Amino acid sequence: MRTDVEAKEQIIHITNELFAMGLLTPTGGNISARAADAEQYWITPSQMYKGGLRPEDLVCVKPDGTIVEGTNKPSVEYQMHWASYQARPDATAAVHTHAPIATAFGITNQVFPPINTDAIFLADTKIVPWFMPGSKELADAVGEALRASRGAILQCHGLMSVGKTMRDAATRAMLLEETAKIVLYCKQFGGELTLIPGEWVERLAGIANFL
């Protein structure tokens, strides 16, 4: 079982990584990891600069947001993170980014056509309608979307992903942004899309869970 120290280290590592990639804004986005007690989780604090977080800045909370450990205010999205864990009981980490291209992808109601293998693996991604950030309505909607896929795009907001490990959750977030970028490039180039043949789409979709 992962210790609380390990959970915090993983959050800091991934926060720094995603911030450097431009997928987190200075105060936007949040990362969490299940605590040693599976009914609690560590989460990034509210409105603190994402480029310089330290383990002591993180907050351990219960599902209702009650602080177990830490002196900062937890992210306003604590409900969305717990809803994500409820939707995916095997998940140990959740990543919410404000990735710019994936956000625009959701705003314009795009889909992932089978232009490459990642697009096929991400084809089950749901787009969640806009709800007020931090609200129970948003948490419920994201939880429902994550029952169908390990990633969801939040309209006018960002994206949410979960994983059995912190790396899995972060990888899903990165792939959503990168594949949305390729869709954008295709639209900018114009012309007819070359798609992976249907029989291969079916075969590849059958192994999507390995990602």
Side-chain angles (χ1 to χ4, degrees):
M1 178 182 291
R2 180 176 57 192
T3 67
D4 286 328
V5 170
E6 291 169 336
K8 291 191 287 184
E9 288 175 347
Q10 289 176 16
I11 291 173
I12 296 299
H13 176 79
I14 290 299
T15 299
N16 288 337
E17 191 173 273
L18 295 177
F19 182 79
M21 295 175 69
L23 303 187
L24 298 173
T25 65
T27 58
N30 27 80
I31 314 293
S32 74
R34 284 191 190 269
D37 180 337
E39 293 301 307
Q40 301 171 5
Y41 56 106
W42 290 93
I43 192 166
T44 48
S46 177
Q47 293 299 305
M48 284 189 69
Y49 176 61
K50 293 296 187 298
L53 289 181
R54 303 165 299 170
E56 55 266 36
D57 295 324
L58 304 179
V59 188
C60 184
V61 296
K62 295 181 179 179
D64 64 359
T66 300
I67 296 175
V68 176
E69 186 175 340
T71 58
N72 292 310
K73 181 180 179 181
S75 167
V76 69
E77 301 291 9
Y78 71 88
Q79 295 182 95
M80 183 169 71
H81 282 259
W82 184 246
S84 300
Y85 293 128
Q86 289 184 302
R88 292 278 174 168
D90 61 343
T92 68
V95 170
H96 168 50
T97 77
H98 286 187
I101 298 174
T103 301
F105 186 95
I107 291 169
T108 54
N109 296 291
Q110 303 296 313
V111 297
F112 290 116
I115 51 176
N116 62 13
T117 54
D118 288 342
I120 294 171
F121 297 149
L122 298 173
D124 61 357
T125 303
K126 304 300 181 185
I127 293 183
V128 176
W130 189 86
F131 291 98
M132 182 67 185
S135 68
K136 179 68 162 48
E137 291 81 4
L138 176 61
D140 290 344
V142 169
E144 185 63 30
L146 292 179
R147 289 184 177 90
S149 176
R150 283 165 290 163
I153 294 176
L154 319 183
Q155 281 193 319
C156 309
H157 191 165
L159 64 84
M160 188 73 174
S161 61
V162 293
K164 292 182 179 179
T165 67
M166 180 63 76
R167 175 52 61 195
D168 289 343
T171 295
R172 173 69 56 150
M174 294 173 189
L175 286 176
L176 283 165
E177 177 72 354
E178 191 63 26
T179 308
K181 184 187 298 184
I182 295 173
V183 172
L184 172 62
Y185 289 164
C186 289
K187 290 181 178 294
Q188 289 177 324
F189 278 118
E192 183 179 352
L193 289 177
T194 299
L195 303 178
I196 294 174
E199 84 173 88
W200 278 103
V201 172
E202 292 183 15
R203 292 171 70 176
L204 287 166
I207 61 172
N209 283 335
F210 92 90
L211 182 65

